[in-house]
């Protein structure tokens, strides 16, 4: 790559408006940028090319954690954990994990509806205004993942406290990340030996006497629990928070869903399309020299897929900045990635948000922001765009 002045990436942390650079990239869908880590990368922004990068095995996720390669930011987890689902598959645990995160498993959908209702009833008792993040979207996601893992919900705040550091975007290594990781792994190892543990962690613990799984250490099994909690909570909470925010910014859509709640599943796909919760780029490393669009990409170069640009590509989505819950191709968004790394928890994430919206529409039909939108504070240098607080009233 040349020494020309490069565009700095990521863009704005604000989640209430699409960064102005997105439209400027329409004529240059593969562009050099400089990352937080100070390295150069190719930012890919058209829907067609983003989809190609996500689906082409010559662009690797696993290799983005290799020593000496260009980075988007410093790793906050051990490098071998970056390709977590690949590791789970390689260890023979994929079936158990997929079963655990299937919303049709073991009454999980009923549990989500009951828990969402309980949380919202608590808000109604408390009285407006409330912080919807702290008092609804956070505990709803955290407790769901405790339920899936089979660990005490009372321990959710302990595990969730690590996420503020674990999902930071930092130029330099974060000392606290290793301390959090070691503490959370130790906690999950304890749960493997706890007879009160149920759910996925109990299933993993039961594999230990099986010779077929003799190669798996307790730490490796604990890693499944820690990463599932972290990635699962931050993703489901992040999307739900931003989905509700989008609805609050589009009261006409909120009113449509009140009148036609059967449209909620379709609306969730459209909310996934327009949501800005992904604050960075989906990273891939080129495994060989190849051509992407009009650009020659060299082996070992970093590519970053800009999902928010792909999801608002006007060549694919007409009137892309309009929230249209009847949009026929809304489900073709790239918010869950693509190819072999397509998010395995897609069904769970969508159902989690569908149920939350159903409950909020039923119990808080006049939900609205309690402060002007420009008073929201957006978290910076984080893998997700999130308002630090989301004050609402009804």
């Amino acid at each position: 790559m040349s020494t020309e002045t490069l565009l700095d990436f990521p863009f704005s942390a604000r989640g209430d408006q699409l960064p102005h650079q997105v439209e400027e990239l329409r004529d240059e869908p593969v562009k050099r940028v400089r990352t937080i880590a100070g390295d150069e990368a190719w930012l890919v922004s058209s829907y067609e090319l983003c989809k190609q990068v996500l689906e082409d095995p010559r662009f690797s996720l696993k290799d983005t954690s290799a020593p000496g390669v260009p980075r988007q930011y410093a790793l906050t987890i051990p490098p071998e954990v970056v390709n977590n689902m690949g590791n789970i598959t390689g260890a023979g645990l994929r079936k158990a994990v997929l079963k655990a995160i299937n919303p049709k498993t073991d009454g999980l959908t009923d549990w989500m509806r009951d828990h969402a209702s309980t949380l919202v009833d608590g808000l109604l008792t408390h009285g407006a205004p409330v912080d919807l993040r702290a008092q609804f979207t956070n505990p709803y996601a955290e407790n769901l993942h405790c339920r899936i893992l089979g660990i005490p919900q009372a321990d959710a705040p302990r595990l969730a406290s690590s996420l503020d550091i674990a999902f930071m975007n930092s130029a330099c290594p974060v000392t606290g990340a290793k301390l959090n990781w070691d503490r959370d792994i130790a906690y999950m190892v304890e749960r493997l030996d706890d007879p009160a543990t149920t759910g996925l962690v109990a299933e993993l613990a039961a594999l230990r006497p099986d010779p077929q799984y003799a190669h798996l250490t307790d730490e490796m099994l604990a890693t499944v629990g820690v990463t599932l909690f972290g990635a699962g909570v931050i993703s489901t909470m992040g999307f739900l928070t931003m989905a509700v925010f989008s609805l609050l910014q589009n009261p006409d859509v909120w009113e449509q869903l009140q009148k036609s709640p059967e449209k909620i599943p379709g609306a969730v796909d459209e909310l996934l399309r327009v949501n800005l919760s992904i604050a960075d780029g989906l990273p891939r490393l080129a495994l060989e020299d190849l051509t992407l669009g009009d650009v020659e990409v060299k082996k070992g170069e970093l590519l970053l897929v800009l999902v928010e640009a792909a999801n608002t590509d006007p060549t694919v989505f007409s009137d892309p900045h309009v929230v249209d819950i009847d949009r026929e191709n809304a489900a073709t968004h790239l918010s869950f990635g693509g190819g072999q790394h397509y998010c395995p928890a897609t069904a769970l994430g969508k159902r989690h948000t569908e149920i939350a919206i159903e409950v909020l529409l039923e119990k808080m039909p006049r939900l609205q922001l309690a402060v002007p939108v420009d008073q929201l504070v957006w978290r910076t240098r984080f893998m997700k765009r999130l308002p630090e607080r989301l004050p609402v009233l009804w």
Side-chain angles (χ1 to χ4, degrees), residues 15 238-246 275-277 378 385-387:
F239 169 53
L240 174 57
T241 300
M242 293 300 291
V244 174
F245 173 73
S246 293
N275 98 94
L276 299 177
S277 66
W378 298 92
R385 286 191 182 94
L386 288 169

Side-chain angles (χ1 to χ4, degrees), residues 181-336:
W181 179 264
D182 291 345
R183 181 188 62 196
D184 293 345
I185 289 292
Y187 166 84
M188 208 62 73
V189 168
E190 290 176 0
R191 299 287 72 74
L192 288 168
D193 292 322
D194 185 347
T197 298
T198 58
L200 177 60
V201 176
E203 288 192 37
L204 297 178
L207 297 176
R208 292 185 294 182
D210 188 334
Q212 181 181 349
Y213 298 97
H215 61 291
L216 298 178
T217 65
D218 284 358
E219 288 71 22
M220 293 169 71
L221 295 172
T223 295
V224 176
V226 172
T227 54
L228 180 62
F229 182 89
V233 167
I234 211 72
S235 297
T236 53
M237 178 275 295
F239 169 53
L240 174 57
T241 300
M242 293 300 291
V244 174
F245 173 73
S246 293
L247 290 173
L248 297 181
Q249 292 297 99
N250 292 274
D252 56 322
V253 178
W254 181 262
E255 187 175 339
Q256 275 185 276
L257 294 178
Q258 282 184 311
K259 293 177 179 177
S260 304
E262 72 278 2
K263 292 187 175 184
I264 292 175
V268 166
D269 269 317
E270 177 70 347
L271 292 168
L272 279 160
R273 185 189 69 82
V274 302
N275 98 94
L276 299 177
S277 66
I278 302 175
D280 54 11
L282 304 184
R284 298 293 187 269
L285 201 77
L287 298 182
E288 59 185 68
D289 294 352
L290 46 82
T291 301
L292 183 66
D294 296 328
V295 170
E296 298 300 318
V297 177
K298 301 298 183 184
K299 178 180 178 180
E301 290 185 335
L302 178 66
L303 299 97
L304 301 172
V305 171
L306 189 59
V307 171
E308 63 206 40
N311 284 349
T312 54
D313 188 333
T315 68
V316 178
F317 303 102
S318 60
D319 296 322
H321 306 302
V322 174
V323 181
D324 178 5
I325 61 174
D326 295 316
R327 187 182 298 273
E328 291 185 359
N329 67 339
T332 61
H333 61 78
L334 300 181
S335 295
F336 287 119

Side-chain angles (χ1 to χ4, degrees), residues 73-92:
Y73 37 71
L75 292 177
T76 54
I77 56 175
E80 64 271 15
V81 180
V82 169
N83 184 29
N84 186 51
M85 201 62 204
N87 295 337
I88 287 170
T89 300

Side-chain angles (χ1 to χ4, degrees), residues 71-125:
R71 296 205 187 284
Q72 186 169 195
Y73 37 71
L75 292 177
T76 54
I77 56 175
E80 64 271 15
V81 180
V82 169
N83 184 29
N84 186 51
M85 201 62 204
N87 295 337
I88 287 170
T89 300
L93 302 175
R94 183 179 180 87
K95 183 177 180 180
V97 171
L98 292 182
K99 177 185 175 184
I101 61 177
N102 185 332
K104 297 178 181 179
T105 295
D106 191 27
L108 197 54
T109 293
D110 290 339
W111 182 93
M112 284 190 282
R113 183 173 287 104
D114 290 345
H115 193 59
S117 295
T118 298
L119 289 170
V120 173
D121 287 344
L123 301 183
L124 294 170
T125 300

